[in-house]
Structure formats: structure tokens, C-alpha cells
Amino acid sequence: AIVVQFICSADAFAPIPASRNNFLSRQSLRSSLYAKKKSKNSGGGFGGGGFGSSSPSKKKAPRGKSGRGDLLSTLNDDDSKKKKEKISRTYVKSDQEQLLNDLAAKSAETIIGRAVASSPEYNSPDMDPFWQLLPSLISTKFPTASDADLKRVAKMVEFSLGSRGLLEEDVVVDRWRPHEELHAYMPGLGAVEPFLDPSQLALCQQLSENYEVITKEYEALLEQRFDRKGKDRFQSVTSMNYDAGWKTMVLFYNGHRIKDFPYNLCPVTTRIMESVPLAGRIAGFNRQQPESGIPLHSDGNNMWLTCQMGITVPPHITNEAGEDVPSAHIRVGPETRHWEEGQCLLYDTTYEHETYNAHPTEERVVLHVDFFNTLKMTKLEIDVLQYIYDMREQFMKAEGVAKVGAQVL
């Protein structure tokens, strides 16, 4: 199940504290990851306990080479045809360990392996086991990716492991981008600016072209805003938003669909949102109450962009000078923009930003989408990053972290 209510922090890939690492040494991690299931009801995945589910495992068609794509499947080579063959000898633990050792040794020579090895904590008890496992995971999932293909991903890994010297000069000197708050950073993405031209992206064009349909779908969701347990689907999803009058109806969390969400009421909205690589935050409808706003802050990940389309924008108001002015605005860095119904704003949240709805009685509603920067990153880089985020989330769930949003985001 996906937990929507969580408290966000600035720690994107923060290492898991040593107090929770005791049972996840490299050796015990191997054993828990690849040990045979001893009972019909045992779960799979990191730690052998599955990811958030205690229900009995259901029989599924074997996937193996046909697409499962995970390390266990590859090592066991669970092709359905091979399962029908008689095994001439018992597959013992020493064979398994040898395969793992060979894979780890080979993966250590890759650019991702060298990036992990650059950490001062490498192979020490203080090293987060997730990062030590990462080279093997990526080598297995993306066997044809070259070191050249993964050069910027490797630098992101190094940065996440503490190499803050990788911050480029233009980031450090920019007064509008609090570089000390960057927690996930990929060097080499080039020059940036607070607001970008939305016409560059098919996402923005499709949203605007379908504005009327999306608005009707939003209204349909409003009519069923309470789930089957009577809980309001609009939530303040971060600690900052509780007192800021900002609530979100989350359609996607960490790039995943929400369990039991009525997607049948918003098929066009869903289809368009899933046309882009959704990032590890939220995507959904945001409501800003009258005379309230989000305080100044920045989001410390330079691999993501944010798109917002106006759904309901309150009318202009008269300011103290007697001028007719827009009532709702967003400031990103030194630039201030205003929402318009059916129009998209595209911006980089590594810049400090804040919002405000000055209208005394009417709320402002936008469709909010966080996604990987398709303007600067290659498809392979995005695929690898999505995989890393997904594995990180699953790893933390296996660790027993009930609310993964704060640590994964």
C-alpha cells in the first residue's frame, strides 16, 4: 500500500542510520535476498519480507528472461522451459555465493562500481548497504549500458555519497539557488533558468489542449473526494503545507499509482501524466486556499522539473494602489509569474520559490506534475534513475521504514 501522508525532508538518498543496518551487512543481505523461499507464504525482495505486503504470495507465471529483469531472476534464470527440465544436481548455497561474488567483482569494475568505491565509507560498517549493492543491480538490469552512457549517473551517485565538490560553479555562485540544500545532483546538465518555455514539451501542449476535459475530470473527482473509509483524498502532503493552505489530491506518489484511486474518473488526465517519466514526488491536483501561500523554499534535486497548469484561477483583485492585478502568483528565483486557466508554467524547483493566493474568497487550483528532465537527460539516464529510486524505496520498505517519502524524495 502506498502511504500518501508523510513528512518530507531534504534528505534524498540519505544513508540509512547504522542502528538500522545491523542485520543488513553485505553477507546477511546476500542471504536474505537470494535464499530460497522456505514456505508457501514467504515474501520476496530485499530482506525476504516483500514490500509492504504480508498476504500470501499468489502464483504468477514465471518471467525470468521474458522480462522480470531483477537480480534474483537473472541469477536463478527462472525460464519456464528450464523449470521443466530435471536438475542433475542440487543447487547449493556455495554456487549461489560464487555467482554473487563473480557479479559483484565484475560490477565493481564498472563506472557505477568505481563511483561507489570512491566513498570513504566503502566496505566499512558505516556504509549504507544499498549503495554497495547498487553496481550489481544496475549491471544486471542494464547489461548493455556502457560507462560512457552512465557517466553522469555515476557522478550523481558520487554526489549522493558525499562528494559535494561535484557542484558546478554556476550553481554555487547563483544566489537564487540554495546549493547547500541540494541533496540529489547530476553534474553536466548545462545552463538552467527559473522558468522554461512550456512549448518545448509535448506534456504542456497536451495538457492545454485537453484543459476542458481535465477540468471536468477534476470536478468528477471532487464529487468522490472521500475514499471508501471516509477519508478526504485532499491532503497536506508535507509538513510545510499543513499551515500554508495547500492541499493535494495525489494521483501519483513516487511515480506510482495510488491503490484504490478512482482513475476511471480521470482517464485523460492519467494518460497524459503517464506520458512522461514521473519523478519521485507527487503528481495531482493542488488547491491553494484564499489569502494563503507556500513559504519560500527550494527542492534539492536538479534532475526534476515541475509543470503546473491552471485549473481554477481566481479573478483579479485591486491592490493598494488601485490597480487591477492577478490575485495568485508564483515566484521562482527573481521571476514572478501568474497562472492562467488552461496554460502551463514550467519551472526548475532548485531555485528558491514561493506562492500566494491573495484573493479573499476564492481558491486557486492547478494540476501539478513533477517529472524527470527530459530536456537535458537521456532516456537511458532517466530509466536508470527511475530504477534507482524504485530500488531505494523497496529497500527502505524492507528495512521497516513505514513512511519512505521523507527519505526517498
Side-chain angles (χ1 to χ4, degrees):
I2 296 174
V3 180
V4 175
Q5 284 187 297
F6 58 95
I7 306 300
C8 284
S9 74
D11 302 323
F13 284 124
I16 298 171
S19 61
R20 298 206 304 272
N21 273 344
N22 294 336
F23 75 100
L24 278 172
S25 65
R26 191 172 184 83
Q27 187 66 28
S28 64
L29 183 60
R30 287 173 174 174
S31 299
S32 61
L33 271 172
Y34 306 109
K36 288 186 177 180
K37 294 183 180 180
K38 294 185 178 181
S39 68
K40 186 176 181 180
N41 293 341
S42 63
F46 292 94
F51 305 111
S53 175
S54 58
S55 59
S57 301
K58 297 180 180 179
K59 290 185 178 180
K60 296 182 179 180
R63 297 175 66 183
K65 291 184 177 179
S66 62
R68 182 173 177 182
D70 58 34
L71 187 57
L72 177 58
S73 175
T74 302
L75 290 175
N76 288 343
D77 198 15
D78 56 349
D79 190 290
S80 57
K81 293 182 180 180
K82 291 192 176 183
K83 282 189 173 181
K84 296 179 181 179
E85 298 175 0
K86 291 184 177 180
I87 305 301
S88 59
R89 64 183 180 85
T90 303
Y91 186 73
V92 296
K93 185 177 180 180
S94 60
D95 297 326
Q96 193 177 67
E97 287 296 319
Q98 186 60 50
L99 284 173
L100 287 168
N101 289 334
D102 291 346
L103 176 60
K106 184 176 180 180
S107 301
E109 298 174 357
T110 66
I111 195 168
I112 302 298
R114 296 194 297 273
V116 172
S118 69
S119 169
E121 296 180 347
Y122 181 64
N123 273 341
S124 76
D126 296 327
M127 183 73 171
D128 186 333
F130 169 78
W131 295 106
Q132 297 197 137
L133 187 63
L134 186 63
S136 295
L137 290 171
I138 292 180
S139 293
T140 304
K141 181 68 174 179
F142 304 95
T144 63
S146 68
D147 282 358
D149 293 332
L150 300 178
K151 182 177 180 180
R152 295 195 299 193
V153 175
K155 291 299 181 183
M156 184 282 298
V157 171
E158 287 186 41
F159 181 86
S160 299
L161 290 171
S163 297
R164 298 194 65 84
L166 292 171
L167 284 173
E168 293 156 298
E169 184 66 18
D170 62 323
V171 178
V172 175
V173 301
D174 192 334
R175 57 169 292 207
W176 302 105
R177 299 178 75 192
H179 64 274
E180 66 279 359
E181 296 180 12
L182 284 168
H183 53 73
Y185 180 77
M186 176 178 282
L189 295 185
V192 297
E193 51 190 334
F195 287 96
L196 296 88
D197 181 2
S199 67
Q200 299 178 85
L201 287 178
L203 167 69
C204 298
Q205 298 173 24
Q206 292 177 34
L207 290 175
S208 294
E209 291 171 359
N210 290 274
Y211 164 69
E212 292 183 0
V213 174
I214 292 172
T215 299
K216 289 180 180 179
E217 292 183 349
Y218 169 69
E219 292 170 351
L221 288 171
L222 275 181
E223 293 179 1
Q224 296 193 26
R225 58 183 290 183
F226 296 96
D227 63 21
R228 61 185 180 182
K229 296 181 180 180
K231 186 177 181 180
D232 193 345
R233 297 187 192 277
F234 275 99
Q235 299 289 324
S236 293
V237 295
T238 72
S239 58
M240 176 179 62
N241 292 350
Y242 281 114
D243 300 320
W246 176 300
K247 291 188 177 182
T248 302
M249 178 180 285
V250 180
L251 274 70
F252 295 89
Y253 170 60
N254 279 354
H256 310 305
R257 286 195 178 198
I258 306 299
K259 183 180 179 181
D260 297 327
F261 189 89
Y263 290 101
N264 60 300
L265 299 179
C266 54
V268 174
T269 304
T270 302
R271 173 179 57 80
I272 295 174
M273 295 173 80
E274 289 185 324
S275 70
V276 295
L278 297 171
R281 288 191 293 206
I282 61 169
F285 291 100
N286 289 344
R287 305 171 72 180
Q288 184 72 63
Q289 296 177 5
E291 296 184 334
S292 69
I294 296 294
L296 189 65
H297 69 286
S298 69
D299 303 328
N301 191 320
N302 79 325
M303 294 174 286
W304 298 343
L305 294 176
T306 294
C307 171
Q308 289 186 347
M309 181 176 74
I311 301 297
T312 302
V313 179
H316 286 206
I317 58 174
T318 302
N319 64 13
E320 295 179 354
E323 301 169 324
D324 187 54
V325 296
S327 56
H329 75 267
I330 178 172
R331 179 177 72 81
V332 181
E335 300 181 35
T336 298
R337 302 279 177 94
H338 304 89
W339 292 277
E340 297 180 40
E341 293 179 355
Q343 300 300 312
C344 292
L345 293 177
L346 182 64
Y347 57 96
D348 183 335
T349 59
T350 61
Y351 287 89
E352 64 176 34
H353 53 285
E354 59 185 347
T355 71
Y356 197 76
N357 175 19
H359 200 278
T361 60
E362 297 193 26
E363 69 178 7
R364 180 237 62 194
V365 180
V366 299
L367 179 62
H368 177 108
V369 186
D370 290 324
F371 61 100
F372 281 94
N373 189 345
T374 55
L375 298 175
K376 297 289 185 70
M377 297 172 65
T378 67
K379 183 181 184 304
L380 176 62
E381 288 174 333
I382 292 172
D383 289 345
V384 173
L385 262 298
Q386 286 183 307
Y387 179 68
I388 291 175
Y389 272 82
D390 185 53
M391 288 295 100
R392 180 62 166 169
E393 179 181 1
Q394 293 187 30
F395 187 90
M396 297 183 73
K397 285 180 179 178
E399 282 270 85
V401 182
K403 298 180 180 181
V404 300
Q407 295 88 348
V408 174
L409 299 183

